[in-house]
Amino acid sequence: MGNKGERTQTRMVESMLELIQTQGYTGAGLNAVTEHARVPKGSIYFHFPGGKATLGARAVELAAQQLSDQLAEAMANAESPRDVVESMVTALIEMLVESDYRLGCPVSVVTLDASERSEVLRTACAVAFDSWITTLADYLETQRHPRPQAWAMATTIVTSLEGTVILCRAHRSVEALRDTAAVLGSILDHASSQTEALR
């Protein structure tokens, strides 16, 4: 798994990501990161000369990759676009319940908490959201949806789920995610039936 320096960087990025999820970007102080990652305090600026913003951007990139991997698995096992959404929602429900509603999407957290103060963070968040939308849009194209429609539906899926997770944390209930899954599933089923009718 790489050399010692790479392993140290990985631990710090993983710690930053976990702290962002539980404490927000502002609450994820550098001292907390080094303590959580069990590394010397000077390690942050040695490995991340740009400081907290650079480390935060790397954490956002890691979060983006983790969800992209989940999406890839969901799409590989799906029989329909509805299955992909239901798989994503199941994973989100598990995350919320198992964390007692403490964990949410770290990309949303950073976007709301710090992106206005750092172009590095804003860009990392934008790239993360775009990567998920693109992945979903590409999949929907394989299901014979035209590119404009696929992109619009993918954007709707990502934005709906992101917003619903926030609502679920506020209410400490996952019912909104189940409702969102049902509505998105109906929209996708309808779009798929229209696409089949035009073939």
Side-chain angles (χ1 to χ4, degrees), residues 42-163:
S43 296
I44 296 286
Y45 289 98
F46 177 79
H47 292 285
F48 302 96
K52 184 178 178 180
T54 303
L55 178 57
R58 285 284 301 276
V60 168
E61 291 169 7
L62 176 60
Q65 185 58 56
Q66 289 174 346
L67 183 55
S68 292
D69 291 343
Q70 290 179 337
L71 272 174
E73 183 177 354
M75 291 184 293
N77 296 319
E79 294 184 3
S80 70
R82 175 188 279 269
D83 290 342
V84 175
V85 169
E86 290 179 351
S87 178
M88 292 169 64
V89 167
T90 296
L92 290 170
I93 288 174
E94 289 177 358
M95 176 190 72
L96 288 167
V97 172
E98 291 176 5
S99 70
D100 195 27
Y101 298 92
R102 292 175 65 235
L103 298 184
C105 173
V107 181
S108 293
V109 170
V110 174
T111 300
L112 296 172
D113 203 11
S115 64
E116 288 185 6
R117 301 193 301 272
S118 169
E119 184 64 15
V120 169
L121 289 171
R122 187 202 65 75
T123 300
C125 292
V127 169
F129 287 129
D130 285 348
S131 70
W132 302 335
I133 292 169
T134 300
T135 298
L136 281 168
D138 289 345
Y139 166 75
L140 290 170
E141 274 197 283
T142 69
Q143 304 298 300
R144 299 185 176 85
H145 295 285
R147 184 65 180 181
Q149 182 189 61
W151 186 267
M153 288 193 298
T155 301
T156 300
I157 292 168
V158 171
T159 55
S160 296
L161 294 181
E162 288 288 333

Side-chain angles (χ1 to χ4, degrees), residues 11-37 55 59 102-103 106 109 113:
R11 284 207 310 276
M12 286 191 289
V13 172
E14 290 172 346
S15 292
M16 183 65 171
L17 176 55
E18 185 173 335
L19 290 170
I20 286 172
Q21 285 188 286
T22 57
Q23 301 177 24
Y25 177 80
T26 302
L30 295 184
N31 287 339
V33 173
T34 55
E35 181 178 342
H36 189 278
L55 178 57
R102 292 175 65 235
L103 298 184
V109 170
D113 203 11

